[in-house]
Amino acid sequence: MRTKSLKKNKINVVTLGCSKNVYDSEVLMGQLRANNKEVAHEEEGNVVVINTCGFIANAKEESVNTILDYVQRKEAGDVDKVFVTGCLSERYKPDLEKEIPDVDAYFGTSDLPNLLKALGADYKHELVGERLTTTPKNYAYLKIAEGCDRPCSFCAIPLMRGKHRSTPIEALVAEAEKLAAKGVKELILIAQDLTYYGLDLYKKRNLAELLLALAKVEGIEWIRLHYAFPTGFPMDVLEVMRNEPKICNYIDIPLQHISDSILKSMRRGTTQAKTTKLLRDFREAVPGMAIRTTLIVGYPGETEEDFETLKQWVQEMRFERLGCFTYSHEENTHAYNLEDDVPEEVKQERANAIMEIQSQISWELNQEKIGETFRCIIDRKEGNHFVGRTEFDSPDVDNEVLIDATKYYVKIGDFVNIKITDATDYDLIGIPV
């Protein structure tokens, strides 16, 4: 029989998946800290809470493997309790309870009060907007809405996160003020769909008004937009971006595909012509803006012709930032009724081909930056380099600016003007000026 560990109750929160999960973990940790619980993020602790991702196959696999790993540690006596929350748990709770019964309890995405109760804590309503941030102190995620009303055929997020619910402007401004007081200088706005913001509360798309309110918060210097949806994009946002220096000239707009037949099957509510016009309007309204997108290859029925159309379009549009995923066949989605007919190796070949094209585009765009000076925020020091970003780059997913730490000193968390002296396909190398 295993002996119970003698460690004091320290709660270790392990986060998998996207920035929205990071945010949820931070809220959970803020609540636990307010209940005088000892809490850590991805460190040792005898009570473990795993915040899972259930989006696509490899994310689910990582979540399941992490759960199994901690269950083994529980068996060995290194951990006393294992709790599971987040998207995987929301989507597959009955299956998980049956398959991995040694987990102490499973909770869904909106089960925070019950999870806290299981951890011996009370949900404190007065703490709304308080959280224990886990990102470098100069930036933080700000989740402006939860859930999604879009009908995309391949996506399971509405099953896990429910319908779209916007957070009121005044609550978000109050949260931004608290973050600024802690030294946060950059807000990264996240939601399943930013462009839907406000429709439920204000009966209109209200992202532009929210941006103007957040830009007034003292101490916040950059505001970055993640996860915009192309259909029904509120064009007044571009006007705010152009006129308000705090709004980064950057947008993350996952477009998924461009072939009309695939877009129709994906239920994206748009066409190649409309999408191309939208992007041209973006670049006309905000010259020099960086557009980041993500694409899916290997969707059911994607022919060589569809893929060629996509490839040519990627070459033509010259996105500043681009990521590519292989299609994942997800049960209970609309596309699950279609035959997953593109072989796995073909999906992978297509993803590699897209990234090859993008690597060349990124290299060419980066070469053009040599000799220019950019205002950069310094995120961290890694080995012999300080690592920073321009306003055209988001943490973890985009290009970085490397400064030789053996020759130059810059302060982490500060904005510094960096002159670019060299560039690779995904990194800029520079010196402080």
Side-chain angles (χ1 to χ4, degrees):
M1 190 181 110
R2 78 185 188 91
T3 54
K4 193 170 167 62
S5 73
L6 297 170
K7 291 191 287 287
K8 181 173 172 279
N9 276 345
K10 182 176 176 185
I11 301 164
N12 173 23
V13 178
V14 176
T15 309
L16 303 167
C18 67
S19 52
K20 291 169 284 280
N21 267 14
V22 170
Y23 182 94
D24 293 344
S25 289
E26 292 175 348
V27 169
L28 166 65
M29 289 161 67
Q31 288 276 348
L32 289 168
R33 177 68 61 87
N35 277 273
N36 296 318
K37 298 285 181 189
E38 196 185 342
V39 63
H41 191 243
E42 301 187 352
E43 291 174 20
E44 288 304 308
N46 63 314
V47 177
V48 179
V49 180
I50 305 165
N51 189 359
T52 57
C53 177
F55 184 44
I56 53 176
N58 49 8
K60 291 190 286 192
E61 192 182 329
E62 186 191 12
S63 292
V64 168
N65 288 341
T66 305
I67 297 167
L68 291 170
D69 180 38
Y70 278 103
V71 162
Q72 273 181 334
R73 293 190 206 186
K74 183 180 162 185
E75 289 296 309
D78 299 329
V79 166
D80 294 330
K81 292 198 163 173
V82 178
F83 297 100
V84 174
T85 184
C87 290
L88 188 82
S89 190
E90 176 73 41
R91 193 173 168 194
Y92 298 109
K93 190 178 171 183
D95 298 342
L96 287 166
E97 285 173 334
K98 199 163 76 210
E99 296 294 326
I100 317 177
D102 291 340
V103 166
D104 291 86
Y106 289 93
F107 299 92
T109 50
S110 51
D111 258 354
L112 181 59
N114 292 329
L115 171 56
L116 286 165
K117 206 168 166 186
L119 294 165
D122 294 321
Y123 179 69
K124 297 184 184 291
H125 284 278
E126 68 276 16
L127 281 182
V128 170
E130 285 281 350
R131 38 194 256 255
L132 208 56
T133 50
T134 59
T135 46
K137 69 175 174 49
N138 47 285
Y139 71 84
Y141 295 105
L142 185 67
K143 183 154 69 164
I144 69 168
E146 181 57 278
C148 189
D149 288 359
R150 302 289 188 178
C152 305
S153 66
F154 52 84
C155 185
I157 283 173
L159 302 171
M160 300 181 279
R161 294 275 176 178
K163 294 296 247 181
H164 178 96
R165 306 176 299 288
S166 304
T167 301
I169 289 178
E170 53 277 17
L172 292 168
V173 168
E175 190 171 341
E177 286 168 345
K178 284 174 183 164
L179 290 167
K182 289 180 185 169
V184 168
K185 296 173 183 174
E186 177 183 8
L187 294 177
I188 301 172
L189 269 50
I190 56 172
Q192 263 73 39
D193 175 12
L194 288 184
T195 51
Y196 221 76
Y197 178 79
L199 270 174
D200 50 335
L201 291 180
Y202 308 108
K203 306 297 168 245
K204 61 176 180 152
R205 294 177 189 269
N206 222 13
L207 181 59
E209 198 177 317
L210 170 65
L211 291 175
L212 289 169
L214 290 172
K216 292 192 180 98
V217 176
E218 215 163 304
I220 297 298
E221 295 190 48
W222 277 0
I223 298 168
R224 184 179 300 286
L225 303 181
H226 264 232
Y227 318 123
F229 194 89
T231 312
F233 185 90
M235 299 306 274
D236 54 351
V237 166
L238 299 175
E239 202 180 316
V240 177
M241 190 181 277
R242 187 174 63 239
N243 298 328
E244 172 49 68
K246 287 187 178 185
I247 312 298
C248 294
N249 290 342
Y250 174 101
I251 197 154
D252 182 329
I253 182 161
L255 297 169
Q256 316 302 12
H257 215 282
I258 204 59
S259 152
D260 283 340
S261 61
I262 297 288
L263 287 171
K264 189 177 180 187
S265 180
M266 283 181 166
R267 304 167 89 186
R268 295 289 286 172
T270 189
T271 60
Q272 177 170 355
K274 281 183 189 166
T275 303
T276 304
K277 182 184 182 306
L278 178 70
L279 297 174
R280 295 212 162 113
D281 290 347
F282 277 12
R283 285 177 168 156
E284 200 176 311
V286 187
M289 81 184 290
I291 302 174
R292 157 170 262 285
T293 195
T294 41
L295 302 172
I296 295 171
V297 290
Y299 180 85
E302 183 189 58
T303 61
E304 273 302 329
E305 195 183 338
D306 293 322
F307 179 60
E308 274 308 313
T309 301
L310 181 64
K311 259 175 40 178
Q312 278 167 17
W313 185 75
V314 167
Q315 270 167 329
E316 185 191 325
M317 296 315 294
R318 292 179 70 78
F319 289 99
E320 284 73 15
R321 312 284 178 258
L322 182 146
C324 188
F325 295 93
T326 56
Y327 169 76
S328 178
H329 208 44
E330 296 297 315
E331 57 267 78
N332 299 323
T333 61
H334 192 77
Y336 197 65
N337 304 317
L338 305 172
E339 190 194 339
D340 185 10
D341 56 358
V342 181
E344 209 51 54
E345 61 273 21
V346 175
K347 289 181 187 176
Q348 204 48 64
E349 279 164 20
R350 289 178 181 177
N352 294 345
I354 293 288
M355 290 316 293
E356 192 78 17
I357 293 167
Q358 183 58 28
S359 168
Q360 181 62 26
I361 292 168
S362 185
W363 185 82
E364 288 165 11
L365 294 174
N366 280 351
Q367 295 306 303
E368 290 168 14
K369 295 183 172 70
I370 295 172
E372 287 189 48
T373 297
F374 294 93
R375 184 173 183 239
C376 298
I377 194 157
I378 308 300
D379 283 337
R380 66 188 189 279
K381 183 170 184 271
E382 209 171 83
N384 287 333
H385 289 95
F386 287 102
V387 182
R389 287 176 293 114
T390 69
E391 73 168 291
F392 309 110
D393 298 290
S394 212
D396 300 329
V397 291
D398 290 332
N399 292 5
E400 291 178 329
V401 179
L402 307 178
I403 301 124
D404 187 341
T406 63
K407 293 182 188 165
Y408 306 98
Y409 176 76
V410 288
K411 200 169 162 209
I412 293 168
D414 275 6
F415 284 97
V416 183
N417 286 326
I418 303 290
K419 183 177 180 180
I420 305 307
T421 56
D422 200 359
T424 65
D425 42 4
Y426 293 118
D427 285 322
L428 299 172
I429 293 104
I431 56 173
V433 292

